[in-house]
Amino acid sequence: AERSSRRYGDLVEAHAQLTQEIDSRKALEAELFEARKLEAVGRLTGGFAHEFNNLLTVIAGNLDLLEIHLSEQEPLTYMHDARDAAKRGAKLIQNMLAFAQRTRLEPKVTDLNALVTDACNGDSPSLHGGVELDLVADPWPVRIDPVVAEIALINLILNAREAMPPDGRLTIRTENIHHDPIADKALAIEIGPGRYVRLSVTDEGVGIDADALPRIFDPFFTTKPIGQGTGLGLSMVMGFMKQSGGWVRALPTEGQGTTFELYFPMAATGVCAPKARPDR
């Protein structure tokens, strides 16, 4: 009876381990399926985007030539509307290419503090006011495409603006960090250990719904009303960060706002002298 009892206990333990292994395998298979699906979508997106972008270039170029040769006000209005539509289409295509990780990047050693400051001092009124900068004194140099990085940052700022009340504050922070895979196991799945500059964008909005959180970086997914969002902004940010060897993640606190963290690997070579500026 004692041997039978021990044997039964062993069988129960083995069954539990087998069940855990089956569950783990199912989870890995689901992740692999999702990765392959996104890869297929990325290939389709990249091919379509390149072809369509060529068409938009021809349209926009011919509209510019027509505008030069036309002088009547009404035809010029039509030209302006058509050209603006072509530009919006080109921007949409650029976002699709970024998601597909097929954007032709021009990386250079960059000071993230300078990039953040320039973006917040840009021409768009929606980027001004209610923004608090908390920038590390001497950011490590990163090797990225500064133009695409600024577009990604502006995307996050505009999304945060829409999620906050008019008097809400937005905080943009830069930090030098040593990523420890043991200390942050979730992040270790996506990037390796080492030195990174973390760029954080924190808003005082309503946060992200738990059901929407797993899908926010999916292409064409949006919580905005129809006609008010393409659903490509965050997927563009994700594509750019992957292509740059980094990662982006969202840390929402429902009802209290959201923090988006962008991890840029420290540049292996090059010297980046930061501009002198106040921290805030």
Side-chain angles (χ1 to χ4, degrees):
E2 186 177 348
R3 286 198 302 272
S4 298
S5 178
R6 286 199 302 269
R7 179 58 176 165
Y8 176 76
D10 293 340
L11 290 174
V12 170
E13 183 178 353
H15 179 268
Q17 291 178 351
L18 182 60
T19 301
Q20 185 177 4
E21 291 177 2
I22 292 174
D23 291 341
S24 177
R25 180 171 180 175
K26 287 181 178 179
L28 289 174
E29 288 176 348
E31 290 181 10
L32 179 60
F33 174 77
E34 187 69 19
R36 287 178 175 173
K37 182 176 69 174
L38 289 176
E39 182 182 358
V41 172
R43 286 199 300 268
L44 175 64
T45 298
F48 168 78
H50 278 299
E51 293 298 326
F52 194 66
N53 194 52
N54 292 336
L55 298 177
L56 289 173
T57 301
V58 175
I59 293 171
N62 281 280
L63 287 172
D64 288 338
L65 291 175
L66 282 173
E67 185 178 1
I68 294 173
H69 290 87
L70 289 175
S71 58
E72 296 180 21
Q73 185 59 41
E74 188 174 356
L76 282 177
T77 301
Y78 297 151
M79 293 299 100
H80 293 161
D81 292 345
R83 187 176 58 186
D84 290 344
K87 287 182 177 179
R88 290 197 300 270
K91 183 177 180 181
L92 174 65
I93 292 303
Q94 190 66 28
N95 287 344
M96 294 173 68
L97 287 171
F99 159 72
Q101 300 181 49
R102 284 169 170 78
T103 299
R104 294 179 180 176
L105 299 180
E106 297 182 4
K108 58 183 68 174
V109 177
T110 303
D111 172 13
L112 277 182
N113 281 2
L115 187 145
V116 169
T117 304
D118 291 344
C120 292
N121 292 333
D123 296 331
S124 175
S126 60
L127 301 180
H128 302 163
V131 178
E132 179 178 339
L133 300 184
D134 183 8
L135 308 180
V136 65
D138 296 302
W140 292 329
V142 296
R143 192 170 185 82
I144 57 174
D145 186 318
V147 175
V148 183
E150 183 170 337
I151 294 173
L153 175 60
I154 291 174
N155 253 310
L156 294 178
I157 294 174
L158 295 179
N159 282 348
R161 287 288 199 202
E162 294 179 1
M164 293 193 302
D167 59 345
R169 292 199 63 80
L170 180 68
T171 302
I172 302 177
R173 178 178 293 107
T174 57
E175 304 167 87
N176 296 330
I177 68 164
H178 294 267
H179 169 49
D180 181 359
I182 298 178
D184 194 337
K185 295 180 180 179
L187 186 61
I189 298 175
E190 312 299 345
I191 59 176
R195 296 182 177 184
Y196 293 82
V197 180
R198 179 167 60 200
L199 172 61
S200 305
V201 179
T202 302
D203 64 61
E204 295 179 343
V206 297
I208 301 176
D209 185 83
D211 294 334
L213 183 59
R215 302 181 59 196
I216 60 172
F217 293 108
D218 289 354
F220 305 110
F221 175 78
T222 179
T223 57
K224 299 176 183 177
I226 295 176
Q228 295 187 19
T230 62
L232 283 171
L234 290 179
S235 64
M236 183 277 290
V237 175
M238 175 62 80
F240 165 66
M241 293 304 298
K242 284 183 177 180
Q243 204 171 352
S244 302
W247 188 250
V248 56
R249 65 177 176 180
L251 302 175
T253 303
E254 194 165 351
Q256 299 181 24
T258 304
T259 296
F260 281 90
E261 294 182 343
L262 285 70
Y263 290 83
F264 296 92
M266 178 181 175
T269 59
V271 178
C272 179
K275 301 176 184 177
R277 67 179 61 82
D279 286 341
R280 298 182 184 276

